[in-house]
Amino acid sequence: MSSSAADTKIQHPLQHQRPLSGVLGTWLMIIATLGLGFVVLIEMINILFYDPYGDEYFLFRLAGILGNVDIGPLTYLMFGSLLVALMMGLPLAFVTGGLGVVFIYLVGDAMMLNIIPGRIFPMMTNSDLAAIPLFIFMASMLERAGLIEEMFNVVYKWMGGLSGGLATATIIASTILAAMVGVIGAAVVTMGIIALPAMLKRHYDHQIALGSIMAGGTLGILIPPSILAILYAVVAQQSVGELYLGAVVPGLLLSGMYIAYVLIRTMLNPDLGPPVPVEERISFSEKLMLLKDLIAPIVLVMLVLGLLFGGVATPVEAAGIGSFGAVLVAWKHGSFSVQALREASVTTAKASAMVLWIMFGASVFVGFYILQGGQAFITETILGTGLSPYGILFLLMVLLVILGMFLDWVGILLLAVPIFIPIVQALEFEGLFGLPPVPGKDVVLWFGVLYLVNMQMSFLSPPFGYALFYIRGVCPPEISMGTIFRSSLVFLALQATGLMLCILFPGLITWLPNLVYG
């Protein structure tokens, strides 16, 4: 045997030795699992054979053990355990509900268990929530009909002759798509698949190409029929129609700001977004002929939103009409089939189940926390900072952005909004720098749209913004995560500017709802 072979045999076992930290981590996990199993076993014996809230128990009892803990330490325990569970990668839907039940058991008594059905059943009977699966189904059918590709092709042919025309076309198509879909992930991924290769082929600056797709794709949070707006309206007991109308102007404002940025940057430096070569452009008459491809989706969107804004139909009725219209549009385009219907239905069921489970779990968690006095504790703590109403509003906005880096948008809504709304209602916003104030009756509506804009920012916020990872999934390997992060920063600044404009000029939000509904 050669010395090299002997060396190989000697070194081979060492190469497969696990680090000491890995061994210790494994044993700690085993011990923790066994310990948790032992505690659960003892508690099951207490529940099955003893009165869980009586004087007798087996070995030990955890029921009511935290009953005398003040709300301050309880706040740290509840939200600290939530953070730890989420950092472990556990799903938010089951973490919030599971922790809610655990803390009810550890803090309360048998009567407090009634909070679980008491929080869930009102949501199950809320008719507005039925609009969510219908709008998701509408989006799924339109996506399978190939309308998104057709729509981008039309806008691309119209705008391609401009410097930055493809990025501008992407934002315009995303704005129209937002009015059809209302779901963020689908918009970013779909536009990334369609528009990104076209821009990279034309040697667009990576940051403008990626940023326009991500920023345009997040408009679905704001522009009706936003699913997040429906959930906010349910939680805040706000009219869905008013919230949709309030979001229209800020949504179009942000879209216009994105387009203006792209056009100005590429006008100053055409190499950042070269126009389509002259030989590939089409005549004006050909452009007009292309518009026929936009007729069906635009008519459908105008019908759904027109019925909703005009008060002719409720959100659920408008969503039902939109779903049926989406089927007709898919049939007209020759893409309707039993397989397409099945795929759209499965997608709808999965997305709806995710949203509803998060709603149930978070409502139990937050409902119990509020019942323990958490709402009063948070309100007193924030109001006790001595900040002005606008300073407190800024603090809430920062907290929402931070939460957006780590939590799902539905989770943020159900965990934060029920606590934040009473704080905002307790404040008077008299206007900054002599600008118009926010009337008391419009505060919840105004804050709702600010929240939606804020959620747009959370989707683009490094390091964990969802849109950053949606676009990563469709990017070529040569585009690094650092490039994606940098591409989001300018558009994040534009969103922050739009948010500030909505705060300074509340009429951007309240004018249209007051005009329509009085």
Side-chain angles (χ1 to χ4, degrees), residues 245-309:
L245 282 171
V248 169
V249 174
L252 296 178
L253 172 67
L254 284 172
S255 177
M257 291 171 65
Y258 301 155
I259 293 171
Y261 166 75
V262 169
L263 291 177
I264 292 172
R265 280 292 309 278
T266 53
M267 181 179 65
L268 296 176
N269 186 357
D271 291 337
L272 296 177
V276 172
V278 176
E279 60 272 13
E280 295 184 21
R281 300 176 194 177
I282 61 176
S283 65
F284 184 73
S285 59
E286 290 175 312
K287 290 181 179 180
L288 291 177
M289 290 296 295
L290 282 174
L291 291 178
K292 69 180 188 302
D293 294 332
L294 290 181
I295 292 175
I298 289 180
V299 167
L300 179 60
V301 169
M302 297 299 292
L303 176 64
V304 171
L305 297 183
L307 291 173
L308 185 59
F309 292 158

Side-chain angles (χ1 to χ4, degrees), residues 145-197:
L147 287 179
I148 299 174
E149 291 88 342
E150 287 186 6
M151 180 179 61
F152 177 74
N153 181 59
V154 172
V155 183
Y156 156 71
K157 295 291 187 182
W158 271 79
M159 307 297 297
L162 298 174
S163 292
L166 292 184
T168 303
T170 300
I171 297 169
I172 294 174
S174 297
T175 305
I176 301 173
L177 180 61
M180 294 194 301
V181 176
V183 183
I184 305 306
V188 175
V189 172
T190 305
M191 293 308 298
I193 293 172
I194 297 170
L196 185 59

Side-chain angles (χ1 to χ4, degrees), residues 423-438:
I423 297 173
V424 174
Q425 287 177 316
L427 302 172
E428 293 184 4
F429 298 93
E430 298 179 350
L432 287 171
F433 313 117
L435 295 171
V438 184

Side-chain angles (χ1 to χ4, degrees), residues 332-414:
K332 175 182 175 296
H333 282 69
S335 55
F336 179 77
S337 64
V338 174
Q339 180 66 19
L341 182 64
R342 177 182 175 278
E343 291 176 357
S345 300
V346 170
T347 299
T348 301
K350 289 180 178 178
S352 302
M354 181 272 292
V355 171
L356 290 176
W357 270 112
I358 293 176
M359 289 187 68
F360 292 158
S363 62
V364 170
F365 185 87
V366 174
F368 168 72
Y369 180 69
I370 292 175
L371 186 66
Q372 290 301 111
Q375 175 65 69
F377 173 74
I378 296 292
T379 302
E380 290 173 4
T381 301
I382 291 180
L383 296 181
T385 58
L387 295 172
S388 67
Y390 286 95
I392 292 174
L393 179 66
F394 177 77
L395 176 62
L396 298 183
M397 296 289 104
V398 171
L399 289 174
L400 286 174
V401 171
I402 294 173
L403 288 173
M405 295 180 184
F406 303 99
L407 290 182
D408 185 87
W409 50 274
V410 183
I412 299 171
L413 171 72
L414 295 163

